[in-house]
Amino acid sequence: MSYLKRHGTRRVPQWAPIPGSGQVPNSAGGSTWEVDDWARLRRFLILGSEGGSYYASEWALTRENADAVERCIREDGLRAVAEITRVSEESRAPKNDPALFALAMAAGLGDEATRRAALAALPRVARTGTHLFQFATFVEQFRGWGRSLRRAVGGWYAGRSVEALAYQVVKYRQRDGVTHRDLLRLGHPAGKVSAGNPSLEVSPQHAATFEWIVRGTVADGLPRLVEGFIRAQEAETPKDAASLVREYRLPREALMPEHLTSAEVWAALLEDMPTGALIRNLATMTRVGAIAPGSDGTAKVVAQLGDAERIRKARVHPIAVLAALRTYGAGRGARGRGEWNPVREVIDALDAAFYAAFENVEPTGKRLLLALDVSSSMLGGQVAGVPGLAPRDASAALALVTAATESRYETVGFFAGRGGFHKRGGGRFAGRADGLTPLSISPRQRLDDAVKTVSGLPFGGTDCALPMLYAQAARREIDTFVIYTDSETWAGDIHPVQALRDYRHASGINARLVVVGMVSNGFSIADPADPGMLDVVGFDTATPQLIAEFVRGAL
């Protein structure tokens, strides 16, 4: 009767679905739950699909996500536009590209009310000139330039103050061959322009600025910043350029490229540089000497990066800080362009800024097991398109945000290391036994060092039941398991949800499970019918706070 012992409902191997559960096959051959289209929309808006994943190419993953976005738009277009706008405005995503793409889909494929709502949301989602250029490129994939789209683009320009308009056209001049001149000729704001808001009167200064953009006409009434830009383009020496930066508060993009090799120019720019631009230009400022050990420039950078409130107000995403930390600390560009000597104080300041970029999180006081899926599938793709930042590397950084808040936690990784937990009767993957091992990473370490530790681990097969099996075998008292994974689990002889229920029964603890999705695929190991399980999106800036609220029972 041995063949009859292989079928049951309490303990089912992960390659088979739990009977009656509604599970579907994942890309690795295991069985998981399929997230609904609205959850997938959020994953796409926050994680995007740049670089693809271990199992899906960039093109395939993008098509899957685009299909889910379209289904959301057709099911409830107004809700979809509201979700797109919310994620973008709250800067919850590392990049705004997916939100702009989804908004363009809504503006082209939605019903009349949805298209109107999408175009009305354009200034809120496309907050910079570059965003507008991207939207214009995307929207042409779904519709033509009808009257409503022209009116919305014209309203984007007319709805800004003259000073804000000047900043946009000086700082963001073109992207992928699209320029303000192109869009103004399509939108032609003149007289009264409506973009779903009350009519906007175009002032004489606006008109003068538009004439300068489209025809190059220099006339009375141009904004002061445009005047400074024109003068900077004619500046003969770096000293002249630095003087103009201070006089007109010019951004870097207003200067001639040959003047951007001068420490004097960068010192002038640093006096009034936005936080996001500062983070992006740390390597250049160090290479030209504006940032050096003990210098005034270094002191200004450290002070700005150490201002947590300023970091949050600037909407600096943690991924941008993590990418800067990894690149700056390496002393050379990701593509091998340029070298510099990293300044220790700047690296320390970036490390602290990473944690500050998340929402404030109150400690729960609960017992947490933070489990990092470091299997081979977590090596595929790039988080937010950051070169070399695989999902498993990013998961270590994200776990440390929760670890920095909590006092009662343990961090483990999905590999059978020395002193770790070896699953009884476990299989082997790439010659390594399946298991789980405590990780000696801590927020007291430098962030990039902790990420490097995870990057070098020998991985085993993907078995997301391991954290619960480990806790039960080691008699750990855990209130919440937090698993950072792509949900491509397949290697276990029991499903994660069944292992959790076994742990609840054996320990007497009504333990919870949080699944942090690190890839924008359509799978989750969290049972949607169990209120003690939560699926969240990795590197949503709200994720650590959502985890804390769920752990406390507030969700």
Side-chain angles (χ1 to χ4, degrees):
M1 65 180 196
S2 60
Y3 69 97
L4 297 175
K5 293 181 179 179
R6 299 181 63 184
H7 177 76
T9 57
R10 294 185 60 189
R11 191 179 187 95
V12 178
Q14 292 180 27
W15 50 263
I18 300 172
S21 66
Q23 288 184 321
V24 299
N26 62 24
S27 302
S31 294
T32 52
W33 280 274
E34 189 173 28
V35 299
D36 65 27
D37 287 334
W38 295 98
R40 186 141 197 192
L41 170 64
R42 284 188 292 276
R43 285 190 182 184
F44 174 65
L45 291 175
I46 292 165
L47 295 174
S49 53
E50 192 171 359
S53 69
Y54 184 83
Y55 290 102
S57 68
E58 182 177 277
W59 167 238
L61 194 59
T62 299
R63 285 197 66 180
E64 290 174 10
N65 281 297
D67 288 344
V69 174
E70 184 175 348
R71 288 193 294 270
C72 289
I73 291 169
R74 298 204 184 281
E75 178 185 333
D76 189 341
L78 297 181
R79 177 185 172 187
V81 170
E83 184 70 16
I84 294 164
T85 305
R86 184 182 306 112
V87 169
S88 178
E89 275 195 312
E90 294 175 1
S91 297
R92 291 166 57 183
K95 289 188 175 182
N96 203 33
D97 303 31
L100 292 164
F101 176 81
L103 190 71
M105 286 188 73
L109 303 181
D111 57 24
E112 183 178 352
T114 299
R115 294 196 303 270
R116 189 164 52 244
L119 293 177
L122 180 59
R124 299 167 62 187
V125 179
R127 293 178 296 277
T128 70
T130 294
H131 293 164
L132 185 64
F133 299 150
Q134 290 173 293
F135 174 83
T137 300
F138 292 145
V139 80
E140 289 181 344
Q141 299 168 205
F142 305 107
R143 60 169 291 168
W145 282 84
R147 182 182 300 176
S148 60
L149 179 56
R150 292 174 183 270
R151 199 160 48 230
V153 170
W156 188 94
Y157 288 98
R160 280 168 164 69
S161 69
V162 173
E163 293 75 16
L165 174 63
Y167 184 80
Q168 293 297 321
V169 299
V170 166
K171 184 175 176 64
Y172 308 103
R173 301 208 293 277
Q174 68 89 24
R175 175 70 179 265
D176 295 331
V178 182
T179 67
H180 291 291
R181 182 171 180 262
D182 300 329
L183 296 187
L184 282 169
R185 284 184 163 181
L186 286 167
H188 48 76
K192 292 192 173 182
V193 180
S194 171
N197 297 313
S199 293
L200 301 166
E201 188 73 35
V202 175
S203 71
Q205 279 189 295
H206 279 88
T209 306
F210 296 152
E211 280 292 313
W212 173 71
I213 296 168
V214 175
R215 297 183 177 86
T217 305
V218 178
D220 293 338
L222 281 177
R224 180 172 167 77
L225 190 66
V226 173
E227 177 189 332
F229 168 77
I230 294 171
R231 292 185 61 188
Q233 294 296 297
E234 299 171 348
E236 294 184 358
T237 67
K239 183 176 181 179
D240 294 337
S243 177
L244 290 169
V245 167
R246 292 188 173 95
E247 182 179 353
Y248 291 96
R249 300 178 67 182
L250 296 174
R252 173 187 65 82
E253 292 81 359
L255 306 183
M256 299 293 286
E258 57 265 30
H259 294 158
L260 292 174
T261 59
S262 164
E264 184 179 7
V265 168
W266 282 101
L269 289 167
L270 189 53
E271 293 176 9
D272 196 39
M273 189 178 293
T275 304
L278 180 146
I279 291 172
R280 290 191 298 272
N281 289 291
L282 287 172
T284 299
M285 289 190 287
T286 303
R287 189 165 53 243
V288 303
I291 296 175
S295 70
D296 290 342
T298 298
K300 289 177 182 176
V301 168
V302 169
Q304 191 161 332
L305 292 177
D307 188 338
E309 186 60 27
R310 185 169 183 172
I311 291 284
R312 281 189 281 270
K313 281 185 177 180
R315 297 176 173 178
V316 175
H317 196 277
I319 280 286
V321 183
L322 178 58
L325 177 60
R326 286 165 62 91
T327 301
Y328 185 77
R332 60 180 298 141
R335 296 174 177 85
R337 296 177 183 172
E339 295 185 359
W340 57 89
N341 293 318
V343 176
R344 178 188 55 79
E345 298 97 318
V346 174
I347 294 176
D348 291 342
L350 282 170
D351 195 87
F354 172 79
Y355 297 98
F358 285 96
E359 293 181 6
N360 290 322
V361 183
E362 294 294 326
T364 66
K366 301 290 186 179
R367 299 162 296 189
L368 276 68
L369 184 67
L370 309 178
L372 308 185
D373 179 355
V374 295
S375 61
S376 58
S377 65
M378 289 283 280
L379 287 172
Q382 302 169 343
V383 175
V386 177
L389 186 61
R392 82 166 181 175
D393 302 338
S395 69
L398 188 56
L400 288 180
V401 177
T402 296
T405 306
E406 302 293 343
S407 58
R408 305 171 73 187
Y409 71 90
E410 181 180 1
T411 308
V412 295
F414 288 25
F415 74 105
R418 181 175 298 176
F421 167 69
H422 292 244
K423 183 173 60 175
R424 181 180 298 177
R428 299 182 69 83
F429 180 78
R432 306 181 185 94
D434 295 336
L436 186 148
T437 303
L439 297 176
S440 58
I441 61 173
S442 159
R444 289 181 291 276
Q445 286 177 269
R446 193 89 128 255
L447 180 63
D448 52 342
D449 290 338
V451 171
K452 287 176 184 175
T453 298
V454 173
S455 299
L457 295 177
F459 50 79
T462 309
D463 181 359
C464 289
L466 286 170
M468 285 68 74
L469 297 175
Y470 160 73
Q472 185 171 342
R475 297 188 178 182
R476 293 282 198 271
E477 294 184 341
I478 304 297
D479 296 308
T480 301
F481 296 88
V482 184
I483 302 180
Y484 304 81
T485 180
D486 57 4
S487 292
E488 300 285 11
T489 188
W490 60 271
D493 56 6
I494 183 173
H495 279 266
V497 296
Q498 295 176 319
L500 176 64
R501 287 161 187 157
D502 285 353
Y503 175 80
R504 288 170 175 170
H505 178 76
S507 66
I509 300 171
N510 189 24
R512 295 180 164 225
L513 170 65
V514 179
V515 180
V516 185
M518 298 302 298
V519 176
S520 60
N521 58 22
F523 309 114
S524 176
I525 60 171
D527 184 351
D530 189 327
M533 301 185 194
L534 176 70
D535 185 274
V536 295
V537 183
F539 273 106
D540 180 344
T541 53
T543 285
Q545 179 63 24
L546 286 172
I547 293 173
E549 290 178 1
F550 182 72
V551 170
R552 280 195 296 267
L555 292 180

